Amino acid sequence: MKNTCCTAWIADFLESDPPRSKSLVMTIFGDAIVPRGGAIVPRGGAIWLGSLIELLAPFGVNDRLLRTSVFRLAQEGWLSSQRDGRRSAYTIRPEALARFERAYRRIYAPLVVHWDGSWTLVIGPAGSIGAAERGALRKELLWAGYGLISPGIFGHPASNSEALEDILVRNEVQGKLYVCHTTELPGVSTRPLRDMVGECWDLSEVMAGYEKFIARFQPLLTLLQEEPVFDAEQAFVIRSLLTHAYRRVQLHDPQLPVELLPEPWPGTQAYALARDLYRITHAAAEEHILATLRREDEQAADVEPWFFERFGGLNT
């Protein structure tokens, strides 16, 4: 039975801030499809186009719009397709899967990164790489949370070396740049390295994004605590909109160590809110997802055990 208050909340959300179909497809792949293997592919999850059309229908995404979205995502190198007669199945491309998984892992991970007092610097001297390489690298480093310290120098106080190596390799600039780990030099009158946060990032927009997320979803949590969701499709829609909205804010968050964040940091409250809503809706949502997948593929797999580690443990 549908929760009438949640039905109204969903309708208002879709009318006031409808998600773009291509971005929503990526959200649903990351949240619902990648966590399961199966008969089509062993890792990364796959879904028949008919099932994806059915999953996206409650969001107002029609057949034509969805087909256009998956076609463009395939052109951009995110999705690959396999045909079986007249049917097509889609999955994340193997070469994109590691990047995709890292991006989604940060959504569900608690904010526990601590600062050891150092920074990772990526330095590209003039002439070290071409203009096209420099532009593509700049875009990816900024997307990964790096700040621009000065022309040709990017930095982050909590860098992930695996993710950085992946960026360098994919942009074919490995061995062309200087990458180093730096700390303050003792005995020298230096400006504190923590001050570079203010030089590299304007966190006001990120804070505003988290505050908007809280204002939108806090009333929903209150509704669900008073009247839980029993309808599986409704739970799936809520979980997907929650993940989509939280992901949009996270994409602009440079993921700084907690010691370098302003106090109070609204990301902490936003994470707790997302966690609580996800825990309430995930089980019923999974019922809807699996039922939808198995209408076209009887062998569609359930989620892998690591799925339940999201948000600090879904069974907590």
Side-chain angles (χ1 to χ4, degrees):
M1 184 176 66
K2 291 185 182 294
N3 181 318
T4 54
C5 291
C6 288
T7 299
W9 185 94
I10 291 170
D12 178 69
F13 188 103
L14 292 176
E15 181 179 357
S16 61
D17 190 17
R20 293 186 298 112
S21 59
K22 190 173 76 168
S23 182
L24 184 60
V25 168
M26 292 294 279
T27 292
I28 289 176
F29 257 95
D31 187 58
I33 308 304
V34 168
R36 60 188 83 238
I40 306 174
V41 292
R43 178 172 177 261
I47 184 171
W48 294 106
L49 181 60
S51 299
L52 191 58
I53 290 172
E54 186 176 346
L55 286 179
L56 270 291
F59 302 92
V61 179
N62 60 36
D63 184 330
R64 180 184 175 187
L65 189 56
L66 179 59
R67 290 177 186 273
T68 300
S69 297
V70 295
F71 175 75
R72 289 178 177 170
L73 287 168
Q75 281 189 317
E76 293 170 6
W78 286 106
L79 299 181
S80 62
S81 63
Q82 301 178 31
R83 295 195 64 84
D84 179 14
R86 300 180 62 182
R87 298 194 306 167
S88 296
Y90 286 87
T91 186
I92 300 295
R93 287 183 181 272
E95 59 269 26
L97 187 58
R99 182 185 179 197
F100 194 85
E101 288 177 338
R102 277 196 298 270
Y104 272 83
R105 195 179 303 128
R106 71 188 242 180
I107 296 175
Y108 311 108
L111 306 174
V112 293
V113 178
H114 291 285
W115 192 40
D116 63 4
S118 68
W119 279 65
T120 295
L121 302 182
V122 180
I123 305 171
S128 59
I129 57 177
E133 291 174 320
R134 189 175 296 274
L137 182 65
R138 173 191 174 97
K139 180 179 179 180
E140 286 219 38
L141 286 173
L142 292 176
W143 185 87
Y146 282 76
L148 181 61
I149 298 173
S150 63
I153 302 178
F154 293 84
H156 198 283
S159 174
N160 181 311
S161 58
E162 179 185 346
L164 178 56
E165 176 67 7
D166 179 57
I167 290 173
L168 299 180
V169 171
R170 279 190 293 102
N171 287 274
E172 299 181 353
V173 296
Q174 64 270 37
K176 298 180 180 180
L177 306 173
Y178 297 108
V179 179
C180 58
H181 213 52
T182 184
T183 59
E184 295 174 11
L185 185 61
V188 175
S189 300
T190 177
R191 186 176 175 185
L193 281 179
R194 64 171 54 244
D195 288 358
M196 283 207 295
V197 170
E199 302 286 343
C200 293
W201 296 281
D202 179 4
L203 295 177
S204 60
E205 291 188 10
V206 179
M207 295 174 71
Y210 279 128
E211 289 163 356
K212 179 181 177 181
F213 173 85
I214 293 166
R216 168 62 84 173
F217 283 90
Q218 188 64 55
L220 175 61
L221 178 60
T222 301
L223 288 175
L224 293 179
Q225 288 172 334
E226 294 175 351
E227 185 181 350
V229 173
F230 295 105
D231 182 80
E233 181 184 86
Q234 193 176 58
F236 165 71
V237 172
I238 290 172
R239 191 182 104 179
S240 299
L241 290 176
L242 164 73
T243 306
H244 186 74
Y246 190 59
R247 180 174 78 94
R248 286 171 60 186
V249 183
Q250 281 268 307
L251 286 175
H252 300 285
D253 188 338
Q255 301 288 292
L256 300 177
V258 292
E259 291 86 358
L260 302 181
L261 293 171
E263 286 287 350
W265 178 243
T268 303
Q269 183 182 352
Y271 175 83
L273 175 58
R275 177 199 63 205
D276 292 347
L277 282 167
Y278 203 94
R279 286 177 176 174
I280 289 174
T281 58
H282 84 274
E286 279 304 308
E287 293 177 11
H288 176 71
I289 295 164
L290 196 57
T292 301
L293 295 179
R294 287 183 175 171
R295 274 192 282 275
E296 238 186 322
D297 176 15
E298 293 181 355
Q299 302 302 315
D302 209 336
V303 290
E304 298 289 339
W306 55 262
F307 170 85
F308 298 97
E309 298 172 7
R310 290 176 170 181
F311 288 110
L314 297 179
N315 296 325
T316 302

